[in-house]
Amino acid sequence: MGNVENPVAATPAEVQLVREMTDGFQLVIDALKLNGIDTIFGLPGIPITDLTRKAQAAGMRVISFRHEQNAGNAAAIAGFLTQKPGICLTVSAPGFLNGLTALANATTNCFPVILISGSSEREIVDLQQGDYEEMDQLAIAKPLAKAAFRVLEAGDIGVGIARAIRAAVSGRPGGVYLDLPAKLFAQTLDAEAGRRSLIKVVDPAPRQIPAKDAVQRALDLLKGAKRPLIILGKGAAYAQADADIRALIERSGIPYLPMSMAKGLLPDTHEQCASAARSFVLPEADVVMLIGARLNWLLSHGKGKTWGGKGHKDWGGQKFIQVDISPLEADSNVRIDAPVVGDIGSCVSALLAGIGASWPKPPAEWLAAVAERKKQNIAKMAETLAKNPAPMNFHSALNVVRDIVKANPDAILVNEGANALDFTRSIVDMYQPRKRLDVGTWGVMGIGMGFAVAAAVVSGKPVIAVEGDSAFGFSGMEVETLCRYNLPVCVVVFNNNGVYRGTDVNPAGGPDVAPTVFVKGARYDKLIEAFGGVGVHATTPAELRKAMEEAIRSRKPTLINAVIDETAGTESGRITSLNPSAKKK
Ligand code: ADP
């Protein structure tokens, strides 16, 4: 110890040695934990392997996947369920790209998620000198994300993570990309300076109170309606304003339609639920209030024959109220007569305040007409569900799933496929909010196992994943993840031997099977057995019921190969109108 002027004083290097130091790895972990983020979904590799180890050592839950797309989907749906941004951690270039589909999907669906990817060194990437996994990831992520940031110095990690959190959850939620070059992780910093550089985000998703006149305009329109309808979207489910939304529906007495992921906000068996009369209420309604739902393709853009218009672009004459946090959403497809801009919690409570005891119930003829149409359609469906054909079809299998969900209303239902999606959505009633997670705004395939893992991890509740055999293939390897973390997930693969159906033949008569056909009689149940899970081959509703009941009871990871008639199912399910080949047939 010592220097020239003062032989007993410490040299700067020695001071450095005794001072407590921190580094980039630690600061990322500290910044996330400081903001209440306790789980990372990801896939380790260069340069973030140590980040996953250190995060786990620091008490965070680190859930590793077999493919980044599934980790990204898991993080996104965790964000939807918790209102905290889900974190997906990936390696550079290919890992980053694999995560990008989930990031784009999250942005499209308004799910808050942060994709954190390690990246190569800027000096080499920017000169295109050919680094390991060289790629300008920030530039690529930008158009697909709500926001994208890069941190170059360890002292900026706190700001980077704070900005990413705010961008993900404030206003309309979405996907955020955070680029962390490899060099950053090893950078050291005085621990105290590091601590001071972190930011605990205050009020990350500030309430946005709607303007009084906007609320009044909406109430006036609603009050004067002869055939009012409310449509609840997944924005309403995300907002966690469940009690007020229910009160708004019940006090107003207005029939409502839940969009797919809003099912269960009120039980689907609620007397005001108009799901079973959807094709009747859309063209007939005169005033429609959208709460956290966009007039996109899923609602035929608010026009055309679905809405009673004459041609496919013709407006049906409805007046629309739109409650949404994004002021840009109004008029995106048809005129919005009363936009109410604000967060759904604040908007619904303001609307509720205007719906007092003297609020007139909707005209009795309207309610009676909706009830009558519902009764007819429910009776028709009951008849179909009562049949027991051999082999099983979608209806007889879903009759079982419907009973199981009814008996376990707190279970989360994940659902993807074409026919497996459409039939499940219309047959299986949901009873609680945020229990149905599905293909969302894009109708994307591949969300299944990622969503199932995250739903089980963040809720601790049993998860049932109803999967088309094609859809399951996109994330099927994650059954190992289900087993590794011993998650209470029951996967039901509706196996009809192919995409849409298993009956196509090769028109040229060559050795290859038709592009839509899979290996016939495949045993998906064997896949999970390879990892110690429970596999069941079910060919009848009774076998399916027994296996599902046992899966829920035991909470063991289970995969049921439910054999469905290979001739059941239509091309593209219910969206045949979008498929040019199906249209021709
Ligand atoms: P669905 O597919 O169920 O119809 P969409 O994803 O089309 O639902 O619409 C969700 C809408 O909800 C988006 O327009 C989004 O801006 C809005 N939204 C999301 N979260 C909130 C919130 N907390 N408050 C208000 N609006 C929200």
Side-chain angles (χ1 to χ4, degrees):
M1 195 180 262
N3 59 30
V4 182
E5 289 88 43
N6 182 353
V8 291
T11 63
E14 286 163 343
V15 169
Q16 195 74 354
L17 273 180
V18 291
R19 248 204 254 149
E20 199 196 337
M21 301 298 286
T22 188
D23 62 14
F25 285 119
Q26 196 56 45
L27 286 168
V28 172
I29 295 163
D30 291 348
L32 292 173
K33 285 181 72 178
L34 182 66
N35 285 289
I37 294 172
D38 54 11
T39 307
I40 292 176
F41 302 93
L43 205 158
I46 295 173
I48 49 93
T49 313
D50 263 358
L51 186 57
T52 61
R53 291 194 186 107
K54 287 173 192 242
Q56 192 173 51
M60 294 186 80
R61 191 118 200 243
V62 181
I63 306 292
S64 280
F65 285 75
R66 306 301 293 261
H67 189 288
E68 292 87 351
Q69 186 174 311
N70 307 320
N73 284 323
I77 211 66
F80 171 77
L81 290 169
T82 63
Q83 294 183 323
K84 275 196 257 173
I87 304 294
C88 174
L89 184 63
T90 81
V91 302
S92 36
F96 154 78
L97 287 173
N98 286 345
L100 211 50
T101 308
L103 181 75
N105 188 54
T107 305
T108 301
N109 281 281
C110 319
F111 298 154
V113 69
I114 305 173
L115 173 67
I116 303 181
S117 296
S119 59
S120 310
E121 299 317 335
R122 296 291 342 137
E123 296 85 340
I124 304 179
V125 173
D126 289 349
L127 276 171
Q128 299 179 25
Q129 293 176 305
D131 203 0
Y132 166 74
E133 297 191 347
E134 175 182 299
M135 176 174 277
D136 188 356
Q137 296 170 195
L138 184 69
I140 291 166
K142 255 185 195 157
L144 302 174
K146 184 180 170 194
F149 307 101
R150 176 185 291 132
V151 179
L152 290 174
E153 288 188 20
D156 287 334
I157 286 173
V159 173
I161 289 192
R163 299 212 67 193
I165 291 172
R166 265 195 200 286
V169 296
S170 62
R172 171 183 278 179
V176 177
Y177 176 60
L178 187 63
D179 193 80
L180 302 183
K183 218 159 57 179
L184 182 80
F185 295 112
Q187 275 179 17
T188 55
L189 202 71
D190 174 77
E192 180 52 26
R195 262 192 292 278
R196 274 189 280 116
S197 73
L198 300 184
I199 295 175
K200 182 165 167 46
V201 179
V202 176
D203 196 11
R207 287 197 303 153
Q208 295 190 25
I209 313 291
K212 276 204 176 113
D213 56 337
V215 172
Q216 196 52 51
R217 192 185 294 122
L219 287 169
D220 291 345
L221 201 51
L222 212 51
K223 207 173 209 167
K226 299 227 159 21
R227 297 179 304 281
L229 176 70
I230 294 176
I231 298 182
L232 300 173
K234 60 176 151 354
Y238 174 77
Q240 299 196 14
D242 308 336
D244 273 1
I245 288 172
R246 185 170 186 147
L248 178 72
I249 302 276
E250 291 183 341
R251 265 200 239 162
S252 70
I254 297 173
Y256 74 95
L257 265 185
M259 298 299 287
S260 187
M261 281 177 59
K263 275 165 72 76
L265 257 175
L266 289 84
D268 283 338
T269 47
H270 195 283
E271 65 161 337
Q272 285 170 255
C273 178
S275 290
R278 189 179 195 273
S279 60
F280 173 71
V281 292
L282 291 181
E284 289 296 321
D286 63 346
V287 174
V288 179
M289 178 155 77
L290 301 152
I291 305 183
R294 287 170 285 187
L295 279 175
N296 54 20
W297 69 282
L298 290 160
L299 283 168
S300 307
H301 305 281
K303 54 194 165 193
K305 290 198 175 133
T306 308
W307 291 87
K310 296 205 172 58
H312 103 109
K313 289 228 158 178
D314 188 40
W315 168 57
Q318 289 83 359
K319 296 225 182 299
F320 286 101
I321 301 165
Q322 185 158 35
V323 178
D324 203 289
I325 203 152
S326 166
L328 293 181
E329 189 52 42
D331 304 330
S332 54
N333 284 276
V334 293
R335 185 179 71 213
I336 300 298
D337 303 272
V340 182
V341 176
D343 70 278
I344 282 170
S346 302
C347 293
V348 170
S349 87
L351 288 162
L352 204 49
I355 298 185
S358 62
W359 182 265
K361 290 280 178 253
E365 312 89 87
W366 172 235
L367 300 182
V370 178
E372 178 55 29
R373 185 59 73 105
K374 255 179 82 172
K375 206 171 90 192
Q376 284 170 14
N377 288 346
I378 289 174
K380 238 189 273 168
M381 178 61 89
E383 235 173 73
T384 315
L385 292 179
K387 289 183 188 147
N388 190 2
M392 278 193 287
N393 62 11
F394 287 100
H395 290 88
S396 60
L398 282 167
N399 191 34
V400 173
V401 178
R402 174 186 160 100
D403 289 348
I404 301 280
V405 170
K406 187 173 182 187
N408 301 277
D410 64 342
I412 295 180
L413 180 69
V414 172
N415 187 204
E416 63 175 336
N419 293 284
L421 174 85
D422 292 334
F423 287 124
T424 306
R425 188 180 51 235
S426 58
I427 293 171
V428 178
D429 289 328
M430 304 307 299
Y431 299 88
Q432 294 178 13
R434 293 170 296 284
K435 297 297 186 187
R436 187 185 153 84
L437 310 174
D438 67 27
V439 304
T441 305
W442 266 348
V444 72
M445 296 289 131
I447 49 88
M449 297 303 102
F451 278 16
V453 168
V457 165
V458 303
S459 75
K461 304 281 187 223
V463 175
I464 299 165
V466 174
E467 301 274 312
D469 51 348
S470 165
F472 174 71
F474 289 79
S475 65
M477 191 63 203
E478 303 297 346
V479 293
E480 189 273 333
T481 312
L482 298 180
C483 295
R484 190 167 8 111
Y485 295 105
N486 195 25
L487 298 173
V489 175
C490 172
V491 184
V492 182
V493 177
F494 279 180
N495 186 356
N496 65 349
N497 292 343
V499 181
Y500 309 133
R501 276 185 306 260
T503 48
D504 272 12
V505 286
N506 180 344
D512 294 341
V513 296
T516 53
V517 170
F518 295 151
V519 166
K520 302 231 177 198
R523 293 289 301 270
Y524 292 98
D525 49 313
K526 301 277 181 199
L527 273 178
I528 201 166
E529 287 177 357
F531 307 108
V534 178
V536 181
H537 182 60
T539 58
T540 65
E543 287 168 3
L544 177 59
R545 188 180 301 272
K546 184 162 169 278
M548 288 189 78
E549 281 170 352
E550 179 55 20
I552 301 265
R553 196 199 55 72
S554 72
R555 293 177 63 91
K556 286 192 188 137
T558 300
L559 192 155
I560 304 168
N561 182 52
V563 179
I564 301 286
D565 182 355
E566 68 170 4
T567 66
T570 55
E571 179 132 351
S572 311
R574 293 267 171 90
I575 52 172
T576 304
S577 63
L578 300 178
N579 181 342
S581 61
K583 253 194 233 173
K584 265 194 309 182
K585 283 178 191 166

